[in-house]
Amino acid sequence: MHRIQRRELLIQGSAALVAIAAIRASPAYAFPTQAGEEVVPWLDQPTENPNPDGIKTQLVWEDLDSWITPNDKFFSISHFNRPTIDEKTWSMEIGGLVKKPLKLTLADIRARPRQEVVFTVECSGNHGFPFFTGGIGNARWAGTPLAPILEEAGVLEKGIEVVFFGTDESEVPIRDVKMKQSFARSMSLADAMNPDNLLCYEMNGAALPAPNGFPLRLIAPGWYGIANVKWLKRIEVRDTRFMSVMMARDYVTIREEDHNGETVWAETSVGRALLKSAPAKVTRKGSDYAIVGAAWGAPIDRVEVQIDQAPWAPATIDHSEEAEHAWKIWSLPWANPSPGEHTVTSRAVSTTGQVQPAMDDPLIAKKHTYWESNGQVTRRVKIA
Ligand SMILES: Nc1nc2c(c(=O)[nH]1)N[C@H]1C(S)=C(S)[C@@H](COP(=O)(O)O)O[C@H]1N2
Ligand SMILES: [Mo]
């Protein structure tokens, strides 16, 4: 159907263009609740959120009914405070080891070339705690690429690290020292220069909402949420690795690894996103049941679903709305489920043949921190 529409576009011109635009804007077919369709809620539900100021508006998986997560339903995380920024007085510095430090206003940034990316942001702690299972959302982010700005500032030869400072601050203790720190995360210069990285001022066509970083945030497609620094105030080029609390003390994965019979404790800073999937919901229309879910974090080849102890069954990926850095929506009809309780588990397989690890895979089982929680997600459901 898409192909025919595209051909019509060539023949009929602008009327067909409108038709295509309408198709593109419509949600994925696996998704919108159809007349007479109901969602069978999961038996296992997240526990009460102990930090409602820090973690807001988690995704309710059963409610997932569009590829793009609307702004008012998008999760937000704040580790420090949630600053209120006046865009009239706001500007951002690009300094440190550069030839020409820059100071840019929001108007300066908006006047630069615009670039968009649809990117699924997931907090690396998502599914790492019983109260935190909705730290994920997919949005169309718009801004200007970061790399040309760094080029314009002229990174000096010895610059190897780019630090992104947020406006938010907190009192951070280490041993006996307490210090007032800005939120800060860094990347190597090579990673920062990735042409996908955006200084982002727009989310799903609206000005960046305050919880998501107004007026400007970093969007680093392919990285876990923590790398996407919000409420930006300064970008600084340095000549050493940067060991802020969010790089080297928190958001650190501690994993027991076996190296020829010897245990090595690998401690790594959370960085790039990892292959993952999750069942979103079970739907019922009359006696027809289906399982719908999402897969993200790496280029997805396929998704498989296991119901109870049955063999893994291949799900169908919805190709109607896709983007390189966005989650893929999948579904699987569930023929004649027997009444009673069932488990539903999904696993994603990447285009390079990587398989999302089971929870008892040593990669997950020997991980002693909750970050980078990309193990298979199992949900429980009761069929009436
Ligand atoms: N300045 C700043 N940026 C931040 C954070 C923060 O607390 N302060 N939280 C990070 C974390 S842990 C995540 S998961 C993402 C979440 O982005 P969102 O709040 O827009 O969903 O923002 C990241 N950027
Ligand atoms: Mo996060």
Side-chain angles (χ1 to χ4, degrees):
M1 180 178 160
H2 264 118
R3 214 167 295 139
I4 294 166
Q5 294 277 3
R6 287 223 175 84
R7 281 192 56 194
E8 276 181 14
L9 164 77
L10 295 176
I11 299 159
Q12 297 177 3
S14 61
L17 194 95
V18 172
I20 293 255
I23 285 171
R24 286 246 174 93
S26 72
Y29 74 84
F31 255 165
T33 312
Q34 298 168 18
E37 182 187 281
E38 59 180 71
V39 172
V40 187
W42 301 112
L43 292 175
D44 54 300
Q45 290 292 331
T47 56
E48 199 188 333
N49 177 3
N51 179 8
D53 290 331
I55 304 176
K56 281 197 172 145
T57 327
Q58 289 192 55
L59 172 73
V60 177
W61 282 98
E62 284 99 329
D63 292 352
L64 187 69
D65 62 357
S66 59
W67 184 58
I68 294 284
T69 313
N71 291 0
D72 62 351
K73 291 193 174 169
F74 208 95
F75 82 106
S76 81
I77 307 277
S78 161
H79 286 280
F80 296 174
N81 62 328
R82 289 178 177 266
T84 309
I85 297 171
D86 179 359
E87 71 166 273
K88 288 188 220 77
T89 53
W90 177 92
S91 65
M92 187 184 59
E93 295 170 3
I94 294 104
L97 298 173
V98 296
K99 286 191 200 85
K100 187 182 75 167
L102 303 174
K103 193 168 188 175
L104 301 173
T105 64
L106 197 56
D108 295 335
I109 289 165
R110 283 180 166 276
R112 298 182 70 98
R114 181 187 165 91
Q115 187 170 305
E116 292 187 355
V117 65
V118 180
F119 167 41
T120 301
V121 179
E122 187 192 24
C123 178
S124 51
N126 193 32
H127 295 113
F129 305 92
F131 56 85
F132 190 41
T133 59
I136 184 166
N138 185 43
R140 184 181 299 276
W141 310 95
T144 195
L146 168 67
I149 292 178
L150 290 174
E151 268 161 19
E152 199 176 306
V155 174
L156 296 175
E157 194 75 46
K158 58 187 173 190
I160 60 163
E161 186 92 341
V162 181
V163 188
F164 302 88
F165 289 93
T167 306
D168 44 337
E169 296 179 322
S170 184
E171 202 77 53
V172 179
I174 180 166
R175 296 218 171 193
D176 301 337
V177 187
K178 263 194 169 180
M179 49 209 143
K180 190 138 196 186
Q181 283 195 356
S182 301
F183 182 97
R185 278 276 308 193
S186 69
M187 278 185 180
S188 71
L189 179 62
D191 284 334
M193 290 299 285
N194 187 306
D196 289 343
N197 291 339
L198 296 184
L199 294 178
C200 165
Y201 46 73
E202 216 178 271
M203 181 179 180
N204 294 330
L208 199 57
N212 308 99
F214 181 86
L216 196 73
R217 78 179 301 174
L218 178 65
I219 282 293
W223 291 70
Y224 270 121
I226 189 73
N228 296 261
V229 179
K230 304 189 283 189
W231 308 300
L232 280 171
K233 74 167 181 197
R234 191 164 81 246
I235 298 177
E236 200 175 288
V237 180
R238 303 181 67 95
D239 61 0
T240 55
R241 302 310 310 273
F242 188 72
M243 299 287 154
S244 69
V245 58
M246 293 299 170
M247 288 300 290
R249 297 199 291 290
D250 205 343
Y251 282 87
V252 169
T253 292
I254 304 178
R255 188 179 263 133
E256 243 180 296
E257 289 179 359
D258 180 72
H259 291 214
N260 301 322
E262 190 192 335
T263 296
V264 171
W265 289 86
E267 296 185 60
T268 54
S269 184
V270 169
R272 287 183 185 80
L274 298 176
L275 175 67
K276 189 166 169 184
S277 70
K281 60 184 177 183
V282 170
T283 60
R284 183 180 78 89
K285 193 180 176 185
S287 57
D288 292 340
Y289 287 81
I291 303 163
V292 177
W296 64 93
I300 304 297
D301 178 58
R302 60 185 193 277
V303 176
E304 296 165 340
V305 180
Q306 185 177 45
I307 298 166
D308 303 322
Q309 301 307 313
W312 291 91
T316 301
I317 291 184
D318 179 355
H319 293 292
S320 62
E321 286 183 293
E322 287 184 303
E324 185 186 351
H325 295 289
W327 57 18
K328 288 197 193 310
I329 303 308
W330 51 263
S331 63
L332 181 75
W334 187 1
N336 307 312
S338 59
E341 270 192 48
H342 297 274
T343 60
V344 177
T345 306
S346 69
R347 69 177 180 198
V349 181
S350 76
T351 52
T352 57
Q354 252 189 313
V355 181
Q356 182 187 355
M359 290 304 288
D360 60 2
D361 186 302
L363 207 62
I364 302 295
K366 292 196 162 187
K367 185 164 72 67
H368 292 258
T369 46
Y370 32 76
W371 309 117
E372 303 186 283
S373 309
N374 73 319
Q376 292 166 16
V377 174
T378 297
R379 303 296 310 256
R380 290 190 300 117
V381 65
K382 186 171 182 184
I383 302 295

